[in-house]
Amino acid sequence: MLILVRKVRMQNNRIVDQNDEEFSAEHLTLGSRSDRDLQLFGDGVGTEHCVLQPQQNGQLLVQCQPPHKVLSASETGEGLRQLSATADQWLRIGPHQFARVEAPPGFDAAIELRVDIDATESLKQKLQQELTLKLPRIRRHSYLLALLTLAATLLLPLWGFYDDGAQALLDKSGAPSDRFWLSGPLAAPHHLPGLANDCNSCHLKPFQQVPDQACAQCHNTTPAHFGDAHPAATRLDQDCAACHKEHNEPETLIVENTALCVDCHRSEQARSLDSHFAVSGHPVAKAPTQLRAASAFTEAAHPEFLLALLKREPNGWQIQRERAATARESSNLKFPHDVHTSSNKVWRKEKNGQQRALHCGDCHQLADDGEHFQPITMETHCADCHSLSFDDAAPYRSLPHAQADVVETYLAEFYVKQLAEQLRLAAAPPPRWVPARDLDTLCPSRDPLQCGLAWADREISQLFQTSGCVDCHEVDQHDGRWQVREVRLTQNWMPEARFDHRPHLSATVDGEGCLRCHQADRSSHSRDVLMPSLADCTACHGEKQSQAVLLQCIDCHSFHRTGMPAMLKAETLP
């Protein structure tokens, strides 16, 4: 609550001057002591006289500490210890008056205090304060106890610190040692032989912060947050202990304070293309030149997600960084998610003979890291429903899932052999009649090579133009030869962020949880990017305790980024 106190100094019922003071509090304390919000002097004013608390209904609640009381300005009686005064009802404490008045815009409440400047500190108040300050309260045994405590917690540990024999004696006798100085336990990663029991391995000098040289004995390959040319490199260089605090409760070595990141990222910054490191071996060819400001994980204070899209360029596959709202994938694959997630169009047959709709997990299987998914392959995820058989007379023969020239060679070999076999056995009746397989119609010239190649060409045209390969792949024809465009699916959409699918999948039933963030049931084309938006995340996550899941910058972003140079330079090593 923001309270305005207007202090009017009075003398002989005339206004001498006035000044305003703001308080951000639920109540104000009043009395003659120096630590009171409103300090008054004079007879009738106690050291801790009362508490003033503005109410929502416009009244002012006054609660006095016994034996002190408050009176109405017009009364001369004994007064009350507690009183709810209405607006503009003047009250009196000693020679001073106060009342709740109408608050100006921007304030929740206002109090006017009329101070009689002729009222001075009474003799009783002076004596009480002087005695409080000057009378000795500490007895002789208290000084003795303080000296013993100092010896036990400082002198003995110092003796043991500088003398190994004394340290062994103190440990054996159970006397205090320098372990009493620790603010908490050693972090679990540092419980190593030769380190956990030797303070000197990190504390090179007594009573000084652990230097980076000590950290570099083990962590000389830890990557930095940015390259050497970054403007802030000198500000964060050589300062491990500023972020990693040992002996903390609860024990942790990772700072989870948002301010550590926001101090630099609250304003927009320029970012060169060279600062983007390769993603899965592919260089970054396009990215925004400005790194947008981020001061909190909200839609207003955090930029929209920047995705890493794998796209085919003349010089090979490259990464392009684009905002999620405008990103479009170009994987050269045709795949309508809405058809495959529809219970009315695609069904999967279980081992027990029952049929059910496809779930997201039927194809998208989580990798061991909990963040990414295993690659989608034709043989593992598609072949159960999409057969590569091509000839009714040979239903168990399947095309190789390979490049177009391999498929063409396979078909040519198959049909040349088929016709040669039929011509050799022309006198014998076929085992069964197959439509459109009359030998005179298929090969009137009786040349198996010529007829087989023609038959293969017809089948190839069917696969690449009408139905077959063209159903799922982008195909081209150059100089009469068919080509299938190379398929590359983006595997790492956010390479500079961390995300664990496992806690998010714990509440998923039949893939319904996946569709809350990835709207696959609304996607009819494979160019659609189904990554969640910032709004999808902030619906559950934020930086306030009132939100469902508390989230800090370090939960999604790593400070030590893979691909960056070492945080500690070689010349700093001892």
Side-chain angles (χ1 to χ4, degrees):
M1 177 180 291
L2 190 59
I3 305 174
L4 173 69
V5 175
R6 177 161 295 163
K7 187 177 290 187
V8 181
R9 299 207 309 160
M10 308 285 294
Q11 188 175 38
N12 298 327
N13 293 326
R14 291 184 179 182
I15 297 177
V16 177
D17 57 28
Q18 70 177 33
N19 67 309
D20 293 344
E21 188 174 358
E22 298 178 9
F23 293 88
S24 179
E26 296 298 323
H27 62 268
L28 302 176
T29 57
L30 185 150
S32 62
R33 262 181 32 182
S34 59
D35 62 347
R36 301 294 90 185
D37 297 324
L38 305 175
Q39 187 180 25
L40 301 176
F41 300 111
D43 293 332
V45 181
T47 55
E48 301 178 11
H49 198 104
C50 63
V51 175
L52 311 181
Q53 185 173 0
Q55 303 294 304
Q56 297 292 338
N57 59 4
Q59 295 185 347
L60 179 64
L61 177 61
V62 183
Q63 295 176 307
C64 297
Q65 298 291 336
H68 308 300
K69 297 181 181 181
V70 63
L71 297 89
S72 295
S74 58
E75 293 181 355
T76 58
E78 295 184 359
L80 300 172
R81 290 183 180 172
Q82 182 169 316
L83 175 65
S84 291
T86 59
D88 297 323
Q89 180 182 350
W90 289 91
L91 305 176
R92 178 166 57 86
I93 293 179
H96 314 288
Q97 298 183 17
F98 63 92
R100 180 169 180 173
V101 297
E102 183 179 357
F107 291 91
D108 299 307
I111 298 174
E112 183 173 326
L113 177 61
R114 296 178 179 176
V115 181
D116 186 354
I117 62 176
D118 292 328
T120 57
E121 193 173 12
S122 67
L123 180 61
K124 179 180 179 182
Q125 292 170 340
K126 287 182 179 180
L127 289 175
Q128 184 176 10
Q129 293 191 18
E130 289 176 357
L131 290 174
T132 301
L133 295 173
K134 295 181 179 179
L135 285 179
R137 292 184 176 181
I138 303 177
R139 300 294 184 264
R140 187 174 300 173
H141 62 271
S142 299
Y143 288 107
L144 179 60
L145 181 60
L147 291 175
L148 292 175
T149 303
L150 183 64
T153 59
L154 179 61
L155 299 181
L156 287 179
L158 275 177
W159 181 36
F161 182 82
Y162 287 105
D163 188 336
D164 294 338
Q167 182 64 53
L169 180 62
L170 292 174
D171 291 340
K172 184 177 181 180
S173 63
S177 66
D178 59 347
R179 292 184 178 85
F180 274 43
W181 298 342
L182 298 180
S183 59
L186 196 67
H190 287 160
H191 283 280
L192 300 173
L195 181 67
N197 298 322
D198 184 8
C199 300
N200 295 325
S201 59
C202 294
H203 298 276
L204 303 184
K205 294 182 179 180
F207 305 106
Q208 289 188 11
Q209 180 175 279
V210 175
D212 288 345
Q213 290 86 346
C215 303
Q217 296 179 41
C218 301
H219 301 285
N220 58 334
T221 59
T222 301
H225 189 57
F226 34 62
D228 295 336
H230 195 280
T234 56
R235 185 170 23 160
L236 289 179
D237 193 27
Q238 306 299 312
D239 202 6
C240 301
C243 298
H244 301 287
K245 304 293 185 182
E246 253 295 8
H247 304 294
N248 278 332
E249 289 279 9
E251 60 176 54
T252 177
L253 286 174
I254 301 176
V255 177
E256 296 184 353
N257 186 2
T258 298
L260 179 68
C261 305
V262 172
D263 285 346
C264 294
H265 290 279
R266 68 171 64 254
S267 57
E268 192 173 78
Q269 303 176 29
R271 183 176 186 180
S272 64
L273 194 61
D274 296 337
S275 66
H276 295 268
F277 50 85
V279 180
S280 302
H282 301 288
V284 178
K286 178 183 176 183
T289 58
Q290 292 293 324
L291 188 64
R292 296 184 181 179
S295 57
F297 193 64
T298 64
E299 291 186 70
H302 191 285
E304 185 56 69
F305 297 143
L306 190 65
L307 305 181
L309 274 75
L310 191 60
K311 294 192 175 183
R312 179 74 177 181
E313 299 295 336
N315 54 346
W317 288 92
Q318 296 180 345
I319 296 294
Q320 295 186 10
R321 304 302 302 271
E322 298 181 17
R323 300 292 172 191
T326 59
R328 293 292 180 269
E329 190 177 14
S330 55
S331 61
N332 294 330
L333 183 69
K334 300 176 183 178
F335 186 85
H337 273 92
D338 57 349
V339 172
H340 289 78
T341 56
S342 173
S343 59
N344 298 323
K345 297 179 180 180
V346 177
W347 292 85
R348 181 186 181 95
K349 190 173 183 178
E350 299 282 23
K351 294 181 179 180
N352 58 8
Q354 299 293 324
Q355 289 184 332
R356 64 166 176 83
L358 279 178
H359 301 156
C360 299
D362 291 330
C363 299
H364 299 281
Q365 299 170 357
L366 196 62
D368 293 338
D369 61 3
E371 179 178 355
H372 304 93
F373 286 82
Q374 297 178 8
I376 301 292
T377 64
M378 170 68 186
E379 295 75 14
T380 304
H381 303 95
C382 308
D384 287 347
C385 300
H386 298 277
S387 172
L388 294 181
S389 61
F390 59 96
D391 194 289
D392 293 337
Y396 299 107
R397 297 293 294 269
S398 297
L399 288 171
H401 189 247
Q403 291 294 328
D405 58 342
V406 177
V407 175
E408 291 178 0
T409 301
Y410 182 88
L411 289 173
E413 293 174 349
F414 175 79
Y415 284 118
V416 167
K417 181 179 179 181
Q418 284 288 95
L419 284 171
E421 186 71 15
Q422 289 192 34
L423 289 172
R424 187 176 68 84
L425 301 175
R432 64 186 180 93
W433 181 81
V434 179
R437 289 297 175 90
D438 179 66
L439 189 59
D440 294 330
T441 303
L442 290 175
C443 190
S445 66
R446 302 290 175 166
D447 183 350
L449 178 60
Q450 178 184 2
C451 297
L453 292 177
W455 196 353
D457 286 341
R458 288 194 297 271
E459 188 66 29
I460 290 170
S461 298
Q462 173 75 16
L463 290 172
F464 290 103
Q465 286 184 304
T466 307
S467 177
C469 302
V470 72
D471 292 335
C472 301
H473 294 275
E474 297 286 351
V475 298
D476 300 307
Q477 191 176 29
H478 298 284
D479 298 329
R481 302 299 300 271
W482 291 101
Q483 293 182 356
V484 177
R485 296 182 187 176
E486 184 182 6
V487 174
R488 289 287 183 92
L489 299 177
T490 301
Q491 298 293 337
N492 195 355
W493 292 95
M494 299 180 183
E496 298 182 12
R498 294 198 304 261
F499 182 83
D500 194 344
H501 277 92
R502 287 167 292 196
H504 296 81
L505 292 174
S506 60
T508 297
V509 179
D510 297 340
E512 292 181 2
C514 304
L515 298 179
R516 296 193 190 104
C517 299
H518 308 278
Q519 298 177 349
D521 54 341
R522 305 180 188 178
S523 172
S524 59
H525 201 284
S526 58
R527 65 171 174 267
D528 298 334
V529 174
L530 304 180
M531 296 298 291
S533 65
L534 178 63
D536 293 325
C537 299
T538 55
C540 298
H541 297 277
E543 298 179 351
K544 298 180 179 179
Q545 293 286 355
S546 58
Q547 293 175 290
V549 182
L550 191 65
L551 199 66
Q552 303 291 342
C553 299
I554 200 68
D555 293 325
C556 299
H557 301 280
S558 297
F559 181 86
H560 298 288
R561 297 163 57 206
T562 303
M564 290 292 108
M567 186 79 178
L568 301 175
K569 307 301 183 294
E571 58 266 20
T572 67
L573 301 180

